[in-house]
Amino acid sequence: MTSDQHSEGTARPPPRHIAVIMDGNGRWARAHGKARHAGHRAGVRVARSITRACAQARVEVLTLFAFSSENWQRPVDEVNGLMRLFVEALQREADELHANGIQLRFIGAREQLPEILRRRIAAVEAKTAANTGMTLVLAVAYGGRWDVVQAVRRVAIKLRAGELEPADIDEALLDRHMSLAGLPPPDLLIRTGGEQRVSNFLLWDLAYTEIFFTPVLWPDFTPEELAQAMSFFRQRQRRFGRVAGQLEALAD
Ligand code: IPE
Ligand code: IPE
Ligand code: MG
């Protein structure tokens, strides 16, 4: 049997964890003769519909990149508008997310966020903490490099306290200190907006993630495009460094 025939016959598991770089709001707004903020508002509506679609598709974890460490460098009006939008969206969506059993988790440098947003985040995390449905991770003021640094710092504190020895430091230990600790790593990363780069998203966690780039701008992204990304994922053979023959032997 050829490997192609084999892969057709083998049901590949769907992605457990999907991560998304929601890019293209500004270009969408410009194309519609609107201010950038209108693009961000449209982007929130799409985040809502894709969250629903992922929950319906039984995705276990959805991680959305909403604001990067580097996005602080944008014009202050845009940054303030985004922070207000996050506060409003959390207030508006919290009850429905909770009713659907979704657990919310935030990753990022939350001490950098405005007080009102920090309070809202803490409230929605507490409210949904016991939920057992999909985990929705929102990356706000997040950077992959920041994540590695905060993990190393927490490990260093334990070293100094004598709770750890240098020889205890291995991949599993560092993994337990990363922001996504306890969750499966992303199987599929989707980036909208046409750029083919990672822009300091989950650097540690993306080691073996399949990446789907699409030129569609985030406010135009639909559940049908999500389905396309999932079907792209199902066609990938995830070898994790092995050769195809080994995987076929394992599947038999
Ligand atoms: C992504 O859209 C949203 C954030 C980074 C907050 P952009 O605002 O980057 O949109 P473009 O890339 O300018 O079109
Ligand atoms: C990445 O988009 C960050 C988010 C989507 C939150 P950017 O628009 O900031 O990325 P670059 O600057 O084009 O790499
Ligand atoms: Mg962008």
Side-chain angles (χ1 to χ4, degrees):
M1 192 185 256
T2 69
S3 62
D4 270 5
Q5 282 166 328
H6 196 280
S7 60
E8 273 172 25
T10 309
R12 298 252 166 82
R16 296 177 66 193
H17 183 168
I18 299 181
V20 187
I21 301 177
M22 309 183 288
D23 195 22
N25 295 349
R27 279 162 286 164
W28 180 91
R30 178 195 276 259
H32 289 77
K34 297 179 177 179
R36 291 182 62 85
H37 191 66
H40 295 316
R41 266 193 277 118
V44 170
R45 287 195 288 275
V46 172
R48 183 175 198 265
S49 91
I50 294 305
T51 299
R52 278 189 178 184
C54 284
Q56 272 162 16
R58 298 270 177 267
V59 170
E60 292 170 45
V61 186
L62 172 65
T63 298
L64 299 177
F65 200 10
F67 190 88
S68 74
S69 311
E70 289 72 28
N71 289 149
W72 290 116
Q73 297 169 70
R74 293 193 177 193
V76 68
D77 282 356
E78 179 167 349
V79 170
N80 290 342
L82 279 164
M83 295 299 145
R84 273 197 301 274
L85 199 58
F86 297 150
V87 171
E88 285 164 20
L90 282 182
Q91 176 156 351
R92 205 176 45 238
E93 306 298 337
D95 286 345
E96 191 185 329
L97 291 166
H98 184 49
N100 288 316
I102 293 174
Q103 185 185 130
L104 254 94
R105 188 158 148 179
F106 285 79
I107 58 174
R110 56 178 90 195
E111 71 284 355
Q112 296 174 1
L113 299 173
E115 164 77 23
I116 174 156
L117 179 55
R118 285 205 312 263
R119 271 194 274 125
R120 196 76 83 210
I121 286 174
V124 69
E125 278 182 331
K127 185 185 176 108
T128 64
N131 288 348
T132 55
M134 187 175 80
T135 300
L136 174 61
V137 182
L138 296 177
V140 185
Y142 178 85
R145 289 182 168 185
W146 166 85
D147 201 352
V148 173
V149 169
Q150 67 77 30
V152 169
R153 185 176 296 146
R154 288 198 292 138
V155 168
I157 290 169
K158 291 180 186 173
L159 272 176
R160 192 174 56 185
E163 294 165 29
L164 283 177
E165 294 294 323
D168 295 330
I169 301 175
D170 57 12
E171 289 189 16
L173 181 109
L174 207 52
D175 200 60
R176 286 198 295 279
H177 291 81
M178 298 301 293
S179 295
L180 291 182
L183 299 173
D187 299 298
L188 172 64
L189 170 70
I190 299 171
R191 182 173 186 146
T192 62
E195 305 296 353
Q196 304 200 350
R197 55 182 175 244
V198 170
S199 298
N200 196 19
F201 198 22
L202 305 159
L203 298 180
W204 172 270
D205 315 85
L206 294 179
Y208 263 105
T209 304
E210 304 295 335
I211 309 188
F212 181 82
F213 294 111
T214 169
V216 174
L217 303 172
W218 178 249
D220 289 329
F221 193 76
T222 60
E224 289 70 44
E225 266 116 22
L226 174 70
Q228 269 176 34
M230 306 249 274
S231 119
F232 157 88
F233 176 80
R234 277 192 298 275
Q235 286 157 32
R236 307 269 66 78
Q237 184 184 50
R238 306 188 78 192
R239 289 189 286 279
F240 298 101
R242 299 181 192 225
V243 299
Q246 291 175 296
L247 300 171
E248 280 144 24
L250 284 172
D252 284 339

